[in-house]
Amino acid sequence: MEFKNLLYEVADGICTLTINRPDKMNALNQDTINEIKQAFQAIEEDDAVKGVLLTGAGPKAFVAGADIAEFSAFTPGQAEKMAQNGHRTFNEVEHCFKPVVAAINGFALGGGCELAMACHIRIASENARFGQPEINLGIIPGYGGTQRLVRHIGFARAAEMLLTGDMINANEAKEAGLISKIVPQENLISTAKELLNKISQKSPLAIAQIIKLINRYYEHESGGFESEISEFADCFNTEDFKEGVSAFLEKRKAQFTGK
Ligand code: COA
């Protein structure tokens, strides 16, 4: 399949999906979110695909977040649509009945960390960095980060990451349980493929059931996802949002006033 911001390649039963905007650290603009959704619909329909490898183009970033330049002028209504669309797309990833391995090859920030957390397995290269830096922009995560980060690493560590916006490195992410393996960058893709090949030898029915059931474990939390969408949109009404994104785009430190 042909996409603008995604590479979609199927070989030996594995669909390798590469977010392909390396000059923008693979930031997720709205087109890319829509393309990820379309790609997962195609993956579910294609019997030749037994598993999915999701990664970012280039050696520096998996995905450095939602595209700040694109959403910098969004109204709350546009922000709500953005968050709804992102939630729907990442739910497709999470509920894909074929195994999805995130091969995290660098920065996984904001929407990048959220996308990785929607995958079933996360492995990372030694240079990977994880974070939810939205607070530095005067906003909150809008693609499920307030919910999935707590799920994956527990309240205390998630609260610290969400409230400080600080990044953690690959070792810290492994120790926290956010990822399951760290490998040298040159081995990242081959290791992800080995994992997917191993899984694809198992029963597709059992694989699909396990994915459904591990997701079901968390279903009682779904109220938080809905609240995140509306509270993300509300952030776009504030002076702090304007200051936060202007500061990022002007490459300076933001001065927040709480307005
Ligand atoms: N949205 C839009 N553009 C982004 C981006 C994002 N989330 N992340 C990086 N970029 C762009 C930069 O603006 C820059 O573009 P330019 O060359 O036109 O100026 C380019 O990608 C390279 O990034 P740069 O900041 O110069 O690289 P760096 O190595 O100094 O820093 C990061 C890398 C990832 C630490 C830094 O880019 C960053 O903090 N990005 C934003 C992370 C974030 O807040 N994500 C959450 C968004 S809700």
Side-chain angles (χ1 to χ4, degrees):
M1 284 182 82
E2 290 287 315
F3 292 103
K4 204 162 79 187
N5 301 320
L6 270 190
L7 303 176
Y8 183 105
E9 293 157 320
V10 179
D12 304 325
I14 296 174
C15 176
T16 302
L17 265 191
T18 309
I19 316 282
N20 190 29
R21 301 182 74 211
D23 53 328
K24 293 290 169 198
M25 299 271 173
N26 303 318
L28 298 173
N29 58 10
Q30 294 305 288
D31 283 349
T32 311
I33 292 280
N34 289 331
E35 289 185 352
I36 294 171
K37 191 163 32 161
Q38 286 164 30
F40 272 85
Q41 284 158 359
I43 283 163
E44 295 214 336
E45 284 165 14
D46 186 349
D47 290 341
V49 176
K50 307 293 178 211
V52 185
L53 191 170
L54 183 59
T55 193
K60 288 181 78 173
F62 173 69
V63 166
D67 189 322
I68 299 169
E70 184 183 65
F71 72 61
S72 62
F74 275 10
T75 62
Q78 288 172 308
E80 185 168 12
K81 285 206 179 71
M82 168 189 167
Q84 278 165 342
N85 198 28
H87 274 245
R88 245 179 256 128
T89 303
F90 289 13
N91 286 341
E92 291 257 351
V93 175
E94 187 168 61
H95 291 281
C96 180
F97 62 87
K98 303 175 184 183
V100 184
V101 174
I104 301 153
N105 53 310
F107 291 110
L109 303 177
C113 190
E114 291 167 302
L115 177 58
M117 289 192 289
C119 297
H120 306 132
I121 298 177
R122 284 165 291 287
I123 67 171
S125 53
E126 291 152 339
N127 65 327
R129 296 284 177 280
F130 300 81
Q132 295 290 158
E134 289 85 353
I135 195 148
N136 298 327
L137 301 170
I139 58 171
I140 64 170
Y143 290 159
T146 60
Q147 306 303 296
R148 289 197 182 95
L149 194 61
V150 180
R151 175 190 299 183
H152 288 302
I153 68 172
F155 190 98
R157 292 190 217 231
E160 184 173 331
M161 281 179 72
L162 289 159
L163 291 171
T164 62
D166 286 349
M167 294 184 216
I168 57 172
N169 65 28
N171 285 323
E172 291 165 318
K174 181 155 184 285
E175 203 244 321
L178 188 56
I179 58 174
S180 54
K181 271 189 180 51
I182 305 172
V183 292
Q185 192 159 44
E186 60 273 22
N187 300 341
L188 181 65
I189 299 300
S190 59
T191 306
K193 285 186 175 168
E194 276 163 30
L195 260 172
L196 284 163
N197 283 331
K198 181 186 267 188
I199 297 168
S200 69
Q201 310 300 312
K202 323 281 183 194
S203 156
L205 298 172
I207 292 170
Q209 294 287 23
I210 286 171
I211 292 171
K212 191 168 82 187
L213 290 164
I214 53 181
N215 286 328
R216 188 159 288 176
Y217 184 81
Y218 295 105
E219 265 172 12
H220 63 281
E221 292 175 357
S222 61
F225 285 93
E226 285 305 312
S227 302
E228 188 190 89
I229 293 173
S230 61
E231 285 167 33
F232 177 77
D234 288 347
C235 294
F236 283 65
N237 249 334
T238 66
E239 292 297 319
D240 280 351
F241 156 68
K242 291 188 186 72
E243 168 61 8
V245 295
S246 307
F248 175 79
L249 296 171
E250 292 160 17
K251 301 187 190 289
R252 62 174 173 81
K253 196 172 175 345
Q255 302 292 333
F256 295 117
T257 58
K259 291 191 183 118

